[in-house]
Amino acid sequence: MNNKNQEFRHPTGRPAMKILRLERSLFAVALAVPLALGGLVSTASAETVMRVIPHADLKNLDPIWTTAYISRNHGYMVYDTLFAMDESFTPQPQMVDTWTTSDDGLVWTFVLRDGLMFHDGAQVTGEDVVASLNRWGQRDGMGQQLFKNIVSLEAADDKTVVMTLSVPYGLVLETIGKISSNVPFIMPKRIAEADPFEQITEYVGSGPFVFEADEWVPGNTVVYTKFKDYVPREEPASAASGGKVAKVDKVIWQYFPDNTTAMNALMAGEVDFFEQPAPDLALIMASNPDITVEVNDPLGNIGFARFNHLLPPFDDAEVRRAALLAMKQEDYLAAAIGDPQFWKTCYSVFPCGTPLANDVGSDVMSTGSIDAAKAALAETGYDGTEVLIMQPTDIPVLSAFSLVTAEKLRNAGFNVNLEAMDWATLTSRRALRDPVGEGGWNMFHTWWIGADVIDPMAIAFSGDPDTGWFGWAEDAELEEARAAFAVAGSAEEKAELGAKVQDRLWAIGASGQVGQFFVPVAYRNNVEGLIKSPVQFFWNMSVE
């Protein structure tokens, strides 16, 4: 692959941007930053190694316990799934060979394909599948809705799983084949029987790579080796589906908390792939003829400002709505992303350009007025309670979002405390329901890939504080609409219910939407086989 025309490739439909040729002095300054690569470079060996800069530090290894995308990406390296989404978001069989549905739509029978084996040498069985789905179904939004309609889930024999429903459910395959957090990864029964609200401590999967726990250095390095007994499907790779062919012997994730250092490692040829460079640095890298920079996800990302609904002051819906009134998407996206070619405002809770996108109730965010926010906050009787915003300084986009929110809320009359930390710490701390003085929090920022929030089944839209996403929103009307969507038959009915879900989300001030944006990947031209997908996969990829 080459980059002769020096253009970004992006999905916005706008004319491609010619990358400006940068002065040599700019490169000289950038390259002066120390690389701090340690022993990253391998000596001569027949072993093929792909070196990757991941978007975050991997600290939490249980992709069912957390929705963090770095943990999801880790999950895809190690585990496999029953079904998987192809590039058109159609579920395709992955670990499943054949399946049947009864005439009344209530009984689903799945038969596993031959050759499925865990990394410890044990055969994958129906009991492993049942235990894995049961645990996942207690944490994932789509899984929770599905399990509300499951009468029984049983292993008929070593290779057969039977799911019996109380009512016909139109999203069975879409649910157990979902592409992103939380992904229904299949684990050994002994591991999957763990409490879903506690992290697992053993990491054995049946996927194309083995996690080398002894070589894991949090904050630095994660090592995966090719699982030689993995049997790929014969179909070509398409997003998360098809043949997962490991074309390298080893994949090393090397984490860099500083984006400029990471950029220089890629430009110097010390690493092969940079998953999520800061947009301003992408301009520099795209001017290097040895590097390709492109957008890999056509739906992009949806920025979120998440409130903690349990603690003051955001335990009051009117206070949350007052905060929303201050949020102007253009300000967030200009600060965090920069070039408008890679972002757009979107006041739908579902990604703009997707079937359920609408503008119901969006007036609470579409003005971005500090004066309106200040007046609304005064009407609530807000008493000056501190708002603690967790700021992940090692994720440039989220760090910028945090700074913008802090300024806007202060201008609106909130008492704001911005607390800096790394993303790994934030993803652990956001699970705490404790008071702020005991480790709790009031706000954090994140993003969801568009595919994760494409319909009301997303855990981000839950109104159940016991099983919902961090922040723990509570709204019975919201939950009724989500449950109805899960069994809706027609596209018209789904659109009506989607609008109702959105109306309730805005009414209760569940989260702030800070816009839709597209972050490119960057890789050296010795890398081939990149799969177009909202999720970064490392099978099918090779290095020359």
Side-chain angles (χ1 to χ4, degrees), residues 199-218:
Q199 293 201 58
I200 59 174
T201 56
E202 187 182 359
Y203 316 104
V204 176
S206 64
F209 292 95
V210 177
F211 170 62
E212 300 296 344
D214 293 343
E215 299 182 58
W216 175 44
V217 182

Side-chain angles (χ1 to χ4, degrees), residues 83-94:
F83 284 78
M85 291 292 178
D86 66 15
E87 61 188 13
S88 66
F89 295 100
T90 301
Q92 301 293 343
Q94 193 63 36

Side-chain angles (χ1 to χ4, degrees), residues 64 126-140 143-144 147 150 152-154 184-186 192-194 196:
I64 305 304
E127 290 188 349
D128 300 312
V129 170
V130 170
S132 296
L133 292 183
N134 279 332
R135 183 171 188 263
W136 159 81
Q138 296 182 63
R139 295 306 305 259
D140 179 70
Q144 290 166 1
F147 269 83
I150 291 179
S152 64
L153 181 66
E154 300 174 328
F185 293 120
I186 303 304
E193 287 181 333

Side-chain angles (χ1 to χ4, degrees), residues 50-342:
M50 181 164 60
R51 297 173 175 84
V52 173
I53 303 169
H55 72 270
D57 178 27
L58 178 67
K59 184 171 288 186
N60 301 309
L61 298 176
D62 186 347
I64 305 304
W65 179 83
T66 180
T67 56
Y69 286 155
I70 190 66
S71 302
R72 173 207 64 192
N73 290 4
H74 161 76
Y76 268 115
M77 296 292 284
V78 178
Y79 306 103
D80 215 342
T81 59
L82 297 181
F83 284 78
M85 291 292 178
D86 66 15
E87 61 188 13
S88 66
F89 295 100
T90 301
Q92 301 293 343
Q94 193 63 36
M95 297 176 76
V96 166
D97 182 18
T98 61
W99 72 100
T100 57
T101 311
S102 62
D103 291 341
D104 60 6
L106 298 181
V107 181
W108 292 69
T109 303
F110 305 98
V111 179
L112 301 177
R113 63 188 179 94
D114 294 333
L116 299 179
M117 183 180 296
F118 286 116
H119 300 156
D120 61 4
Q123 177 186 341
V124 178
T125 70
E127 290 188 349
D128 300 312
V129 170
V130 170
S132 296
L133 292 183
N134 279 332
R135 183 171 188 263
W136 159 81
Q138 296 182 63
R139 295 306 305 259
D140 179 70
M142 292 186 75
Q144 290 166 1
Q145 294 295 333
L146 173 61
F147 269 83
K148 288 178 182 178
N149 298 285
I150 291 179
V151 174
S152 64
L153 181 66
E154 300 174 328
D157 57 44
D158 280 352
K159 294 184 62 176
T160 307
V161 174
V162 180
M163 177 189 297
T164 304
L165 305 173
S166 57
V167 295
Y169 192 86
L171 298 173
V172 171
L173 300 186
E174 288 81 357
T175 301
I176 62 175
K178 63 175 300 195
I179 195 170
S180 191
S181 300
N182 299 92
V183 179
F185 293 120
I186 303 304
M187 304 177 179
K189 178 184 176 183
R190 69 178 186 278
I191 299 174
E193 287 181 333
D195 184 337
F197 294 92
E198 299 289 338
Q199 293 201 58
I200 59 174
T201 56
E202 187 182 359
Y203 316 104
V204 176
S206 64
F209 292 95
V210 177
F211 170 62
E212 300 296 344
D214 293 343
E215 299 182 58
W216 175 44
V217 182
N220 191 302
T221 306
V222 190
V223 177
Y224 303 93
T225 55
K226 178 178 180 178
F227 181 36
K228 300 187 185 307
D229 291 327
Y230 183 77
V231 180
R233 294 190 68 90
E234 295 182 358
E235 299 90 341
S238 176
S241 71
K244 298 181 178 181
V245 180
K247 295 186 176 180
V248 294
D249 298 309
K250 182 179 291 186
V251 178
I252 299 176
W253 290 3
Q254 184 73 29
Y255 173 63
F256 292 84
D258 177 72
N259 255 239
T260 302
T261 305
M263 174 191 71
N264 290 328
L266 183 73
M267 294 179 68
E270 304 292 350
V271 293
D272 304 298
F273 188 93
F274 192 170
E275 184 188 358
Q276 208 165 84
D280 57 334
L281 299 183
L283 292 170
I284 300 174
M285 289 183 284
S287 294
N288 185 319
D290 296 323
I291 294 174
T292 297
V293 177
E294 61 184 347
V295 170
N296 202 35
D297 177 8
L299 289 182
N301 308 294
I302 309 300
F304 264 58
R306 184 62 165 177
F307 303 109
N308 187 334
H309 293 232
L310 302 182
L311 300 180
F314 294 132
D315 56 344
D316 183 337
E318 292 308 312
V319 175
R320 297 192 297 269
R321 285 173 56 84
L324 294 182
L325 287 169
M327 297 180 183
K328 186 175 183 179
Q329 290 189 358
E330 290 91 340
D331 294 341
Y332 284 92
L333 295 167
I337 308 302
D339 196 301
Q341 192 165 195
F342 294 98

Side-chain angles (χ1 to χ4, degrees), residues 470-483:
F470 312 109
W472 308 288
E474 181 174 10
D475 189 72
E477 290 184 55
L478 172 60
E479 284 303 278
E480 289 173 6
R482 294 177 71 234

Side-chain angles (χ1 to χ4, degrees), residues 392-415:
T393 54
D394 58 335
I395 308 292
V397 170
L398 299 184
S399 183
F401 284 168
S402 304
L403 291 168
V404 173
T405 291
E407 179 182 14
K408 289 184 175 297
L409 294 193
R410 284 175 180 140
N411 290 340
F414 286 91
N415 174 19

